[in-house]
Amino acid sequence: MKTLVKWTISDYHKMIESDILTGRNCELIDGEIVEMSPELPQHYNTSKRSVNYLGNLLQGKADVRFNGPITLSNSEPEPDIAIVKLPEHRYNEHHPYPDDIFWLIEVANTSLSKDLSIKRKIYAQAQIAEYWIINLTSQELIVFRNPDNGDYLMEVKWQEPIIKSLAFPDIEIIVSQMLN
């Protein structure tokens, strides 16, 4: 039987500061250092386009972060998109914490299974109110809401052309602007 060492956020930061993880594309998930999937061009372009679109819609209301870490209790994942509270300079000394996060978005092709299971659970455990997955394979938006007891109570494959986030119900987000 293998016994794995679980790393803390502090351990992980010390490894980063001492260059142990330099050149490694990884993130801390539930105390384990996990290699991230490489990005295909469609993944990168969808993420970038979505960040630009949401950034314009939410200008002055939220900071839309691109491929940046967030700090949870025993994880430091790097979601493709994080919509977080302003002002941006509040993150000069630390990455956004759960209380700073309005919602998260993962763009998935090869990472779909991980995003639907592992990331879904850690985001729900952290009480992130809303989590979206842009599924590149099926060209659909999967929406998770209402975290409770380590999972989301609501999961919807979004069929409508417009979605409104829980944090900004007055702003209409055109789903096709993120999918196409």
Side-chain angles (χ1 to χ4, degrees), residues 36-164:
M36 293 169 42
S37 302
E39 287 187 355
L40 297 171
Q42 182 187 21
H43 181 280
Y44 177 83
N45 285 333
T46 300
S47 299
K48 183 179 177 202
R49 182 177 54 255
S50 296
V51 164
N52 290 337
Y53 174 63
L54 292 170
N56 287 330
L57 282 179
L58 299 171
Q59 189 169 14
K61 297 179 185 296
D63 181 25
V64 181
R65 297 169 62 94
F66 183 39
N67 289 337
I70 59 172
T71 301
L72 310 178
S73 64
N74 63 348
S75 299
E76 199 163 272
E78 296 185 22
D80 295 309
I81 303 168
I83 297 84
V84 301
K85 293 177 181 175
L86 289 172
E88 184 180 293
H89 67 78
R90 75 191 291 157
Y91 310 113
N92 286 347
E93 301 299 321
H94 64 82
H95 301 303
Y97 298 132
D99 289 346
D100 299 317
I101 299 168
F102 292 118
W103 83 94
L104 300 174
I105 303 173
E106 294 287 0
V107 176
N109 44 18
T110 58
S111 66
L112 182 61
S113 176
K114 180 171 120 179
D115 294 337
L116 284 169
S117 58
I118 297 167
K119 291 236 176 146
R120 172 183 171 163
K121 296 273 187 213
I122 65 167
Y123 295 157
Q125 287 169 354
Q127 294 291 301
I128 305 300
E130 192 164 12
Y131 168 45
W132 299 358
I133 298 175
I134 298 173
N135 183 341
L136 294 175
T137 304
S138 62
Q139 283 295 295
E140 66 185 352
L141 177 65
I142 305 167
V143 177
F144 299 95
R145 291 178 171 162
N146 305 326
D148 184 49
N149 210 18
D151 202 357
Y152 287 94
L153 297 178
M154 183 185 130
E155 174 183 349
V156 175
K157 291 185 179 178
W158 202 262
Q159 302 295 320
E160 302 298 319
I162 292 174
I163 187 168
K164 295 179 180 184

